[in-house]
Amino acid sequence: MAEVLVLVDHVDGEVKKVTHELLTAARLIGEASAVVVGAPGTAAKLRDALAAHGAAKVYVAESDDAATQLLTPEVDVLAALVAQASPAAVLVAASASGKEIAGRLAIRIGSGVLVDATEVNADATVGQSIFGGAYNVKAKASKGVPVISVRPGAVEAANAEGAAAEETVAVPAANAASVVTINSREPLAAGDRPELTEASVVVSGGRGVASAENFAVVEALADALGGAVGASRAAVDSGYYPHQFQVGQTGKTVSPQLYIALGISGAIQHRAGMQTSKTIVAVNKDAEAPIFEIADFGVVGDLFKVAPQLTEEVTKRKG
Amino acid sequence: MNIVVLVKQVPDTYSERKLADSDHTLDRESADAVLDEINERAVEEALQLQATHGGEVTVVSVGPDRATDAIRKALSMGADKAVHVSDEALHGSDAIATAKVLAKAVSTIEGVDLVLAGNEATDGRVGAVPAMVAELLGLPALTHARKVEVDGTAVKVERETDEGVLHLSAALPAVISVNEKINEPRYPSFKGIMAAKKKPVTTLTVADLGVDTAELGIAGSWTSVLESAPKPPRSAGQRVEDEGDGGTKVAEYLVGQKLI
Ligand SMILES: Cc1cc2nc3c(=O)[nH]c(=O)nc-3n(C[C@H](O)[C@H](O)[C@H](O)COP(=O)(O)OP(=O)(O)OC[C@H]3O[C@@H](n4cnc5c(N)ncnc54)[C@H](O)[C@@H]3O)c2cc1C
Ligand SMILES: Nc1ncnc2c1ncn2[C@@H]1O[C@H](COP(=O)(O)O)[C@@H](O)[C@H]1O
């Protein structure tokens, strides 16, 4: 069976959930090989998690440069492995970095790149959801080894035993002219909440929340539901909530089981980032707000009354 | 410092966007077209860098004839000149094909120190064209910048993504993509709009660039769309007025849906 390369997304010595999803998708197409690129000592910490999700092989590409150069080490390692292993496909997460790695790799190896797949099939064709979920398309790579970036949360991760046999590979020497050096990192205050694109519940606040302090109301409901917090662009632009939590056309695309919109009008650009959510609940004091056109359950009312009451009810039911 | 800005005309997100039934490409007649908002920010950043470091700002766009409007907008903001690659053979080109044409078009401009682009287009949301152009040109790619500083022959960027903020540096020439929070783009002044009409726009075909048409368009692209279907729009569900029990009603609904 042909190998399928999966680029491992990791942070602080832990495998990100999306990697488990990619390994699951990879096993549909062929034999999953995890590719770890990072500082020396990285792979040892990740191996057990990769084995538990069906990685037959773990390629270990470690060097000091790999941790201090932006994205080119990943591209270089994957390109070398494609030449060595002739895989059936290469899968990476459709994160900001993953999309770039996939694009560059495809150019490097003369392949087609399929961006932000929401479905991966056994023949390496993919499903995609475009224009903010208005269209579904099916696509394939017409040349080379398909390079696919897969949307986090699109595939359900399944456990499977994998041998996770380690094989060391060299990180090729960087091309000096195109190196980008990472001088320092400011990690985002991770907090205890799930990641926005991975969460099964997202509670978002809009301009109606009216201040940064008031976002505590949104956070309290998110915490009661074990969810992530999102924001509309108007809320971000007004400085109520940080940019990385923006949902919509130019922010994150989320597709949780439950999306709760508080004080959000539901402009088309906001809907583009959340309308594929399974269930949508909206609270808005304007009965005419377009968000109600797509809400499964809408409350016309003041979010400062409705949300705290809901938080209390949820907390009560959790016992 | 000579700066190239890659600008793309996209369907306005306020209008309905459709795919043509015949070949699954964007139905350009169905939607209004605008200069992608993020590209206004890239142009703004270029103009601010030019104000400090001098040099020329050239906008480059690959797209159909009507992309001229997007180019004029960038020129009316203050860019000096433009290169527009327009060719029937481009119809249906995917991201890789587009990146190849863009890289060739940038190569026609002499003494480029910096290539600026948006981090992601609102239509395709590929989010990789700037990195692919960098790959093709053999240049460093400093992407998702919320801050750019040029110092002599080096450039420093603050990259903001989900992974946090990275402080990056690289040697010029380089490719930089900017994010939505980098600046507030200026509005073209009346004077700017009038001046833009006289600014030089070089129109090129793919043959002019020496790109093989076998690598372009629907047939030559690196990916192909097999099927496309509009998703049935969502419909409104239940709606209640809050009469002091709105939160409780939502909770009951969520229990009914087994969501809590
Ligand atoms: C190119 C482009 C890209 C864009 N990208 C995005 C994007 O990624 N994400 C995004 O969100 N937007 C995006 N927008 C902006 C979008 O068009 C809207 O302006 C934005 O979504 C509005 O945010 P909002 O709903 O919070 O604010 P508003 O439209 O101002 O709505 C606030 C709502 O809150 C309600 N409200 C006020 N007080 C209360 C209260 N106490 N209780 C209950 N309800 C209350 C009001 O009735 C109103 O409906 C983009 C726009 C463009 C042009
Ligand atoms: N056809 C094009 N012409 C000019 N610039 C483009 C084109 N396509 C993409 N770009 C640039 O690449 C950026 C990111 O686009 P994308 O990778 O397609 O999401 C855009 O904001 C533009 O700056």
Side-chain angles (χ1 to χ4, degrees), chain B residues 96-107:
Chain B
I96 294 189
T98 304
K100 292 197 171 194
V101 175
L102 279 170
K104 287 272 188 172
V106 171
S107 309

Side-chain angles (χ1 to χ4, degrees), chain B:
Chain B
M1 194 169 64
N2 292 325
I3 306 173
V4 167
V5 190
L6 307 180
V7 305
K8 186 178 188 189
Q9 191 186 43
V10 296
D12 191 343
T13 53
Y14 287 104
S15 56
E16 192 185 356
R17 295 173 293 175
K18 287 194 205 143
L19 295 180
D21 293 332
S22 52
D23 61 2
H24 315 294
T25 60
L26 176 67
D27 180 352
R28 295 193 190 260
E29 302 309 312
S30 79
D32 297 333
V34 294
L35 170 60
D36 205 354
E37 195 202 63
I38 189 71
N39 290 152
E40 292 180 24
R41 295 175 200 267
V43 172
E44 175 65 38
E45 199 60 23
L47 295 172
Q48 290 184 16
L49 288 167
Q50 182 189 37
T52 319
H53 303 278
E56 255 192 330
V57 175
T58 310
V59 300
V60 171
S61 188
V62 171
D65 285 346
R66 76 169 180 176
T68 324
D69 296 342
I71 291 171
R72 289 288 168 204
K73 171 107 191 244
L75 293 175
S76 63
M77 288 175 70
D80 300 299
K81 57 188 177 62
V83 174
H84 181 186
V85 187
S86 179
D87 200 315
E88 262 307 303
L90 288 163
H91 175 78
S93 293
D94 69 359
I96 294 189
T98 304
K100 292 197 171 194
V101 175
L102 279 170
K104 287 272 188 172
V106 171
S107 309
T108 65
I109 302 157
E110 258 173 70
V112 175
D113 300 296
L114 205 56
V115 179
L116 285 175
N119 59 349
E120 185 175 88
T122 48
D123 54 352
R125 302 202 66 175
V126 173
V129 167
M132 293 198 263
V133 169
E135 176 74 31
L136 289 159
L137 295 173
L139 298 179
L142 304 99
T143 43
H144 300 277
R146 66 169 192 191
K147 192 169 170 211
V148 176
E149 261 175 296
V150 172
D151 180 9
T153 57
V155 59
K156 281 191 185 155
V157 154
E158 281 181 25
R159 168 189 168 92
E160 185 188 30
T161 67
D162 280 355
E163 292 137 65
V165 176
L166 298 183
H167 295 260
L168 307 175
S169 60
L172 293 176
V175 176
I176 295 179
S177 77
V178 305
N179 79 10
E180 201 176 78
K181 296 292 174 273
I182 190 159
N183 58 37
E184 276 309 318
R186 67 194 67 187
Y187 285 106
S189 64
F190 180 70
K191 213 173 124 219
I193 294 169
M194 295 316 285
K197 296 191 171 144
K198 299 195 198 77
K199 290 180 176 170
V201 178
T202 310
T203 307
L204 300 175
T205 63
V206 294
D208 294 334
L209 293 173
V211 180
D212 184 357
T213 47
E215 291 202 339
L216 299 175
I218 298 178
S221 274
W222 303 73
T223 52
S224 47
V225 175
L226 305 167
E227 294 162 22
S228 74
K231 212 168 165 183
R234 278 186 100 98
S235 51
Q238 271 172 287
R239 200 173 69 185
V240 299
E241 293 278 339
D242 179 28
E243 285 160 353
D245 59 353
T248 311
K249 287 223 171 100
V250 178
E252 283 162 4
Y253 172 78
L254 295 180
V255 169
Q257 299 293 312
K258 303 204 164 42
L259 284 162
I260 52 175

Side-chain angles (χ1 to χ4, degrees), chain A residues 6-7 9 15-24 92-95 150-155 157 198:
Chain A
V6 169
L7 179 65
D9 218 341
V15 177
K16 289 226 229 166
K17 187 174 145 208
V18 64
T19 302
H20 300 150
E21 298 164 5
L22 297 186
L23 289 169
T24 306
V92 302
S95 59
V150 184
R151 182 180 292 184
V155 176
E198 294 187 345

Side-chain angles (χ1 to χ4, degrees), chain A residues 75-138:
Chain A
V75 178
D76 294 343
V77 167
L78 287 172
L81 281 172
V82 168
Q84 178 193 319
S86 310
V90 181
L91 305 186
V92 302
S95 59
S97 297
K99 283 172 158 188
E100 287 177 30
I101 292 168
R104 299 185 71 143
L105 176 68
I107 297 247
R108 191 81 70 82
I109 64 177
S111 286
V113 61
L114 297 158
V115 183
D116 204 19
T118 48
E119 203 182 317
V120 180
N121 305 311
D123 59 357
T125 59
V126 303
Q128 290 159 311
S129 164
I130 64 164
F131 296 156
Y135 272 85
N136 288 329
V137 303
K138 186 175 175 190

Side-chain angles (χ1 to χ4, degrees), chain A residues 161-308:
Chain A
E161 275 309 307
E166 289 187 42
E167 187 175 325
T168 306
V169 292
V171 181
N175 173 358
S178 58
V179 160
V180 175
T181 307
I182 303 172
N183 300 307
S184 62
R185 297 170 189 263
E186 291 171 40
L188 295 175
D192 296 332
R193 297 195 185 97
E195 239 178 82
L196 191 49
T197 51
E198 294 187 345
S200 53
V201 177
V202 174
V203 184
S204 288
R207 203 197 312 263
V209 177
S211 74
E213 297 74 52
N214 287 348
F215 249 82
V217 172
V218 182
E219 292 182 332
L221 179 55
D223 291 341
L225 290 162
V229 175
S232 74
R233 181 157 113 175
V236 170
D237 285 349
S238 307
Y240 305 163
Y241 222 66
H243 179 213
Q244 73 264 21
F245 297 99
Q246 181 174 316
V247 171
Q249 180 79 61
T250 46
K252 300 277 146 42
T253 301
V254 300
S255 203
Q257 294 297 314
L258 172 61
Y259 187 88
I260 303 184
L262 303 174
I264 292 177
S265 61
I268 191 163
Q269 297 91 352
H270 186 77
R271 285 153 66 158
M274 46 67 76
Q275 64 190 359
T276 56
S277 303
K278 201 74 171 281
T279 299
I280 297 172
V281 170
V283 181
N284 195 305
K285 62 183 182 192
D286 174 9
E288 304 297 321
I291 191 78
F292 288 126
E293 291 162 19
I294 58 161
D296 299 288
F297 194 87
V299 180
V300 182
D302 185 347
L303 76 93
F304 296 110
K305 300 210 174 89
V306 178

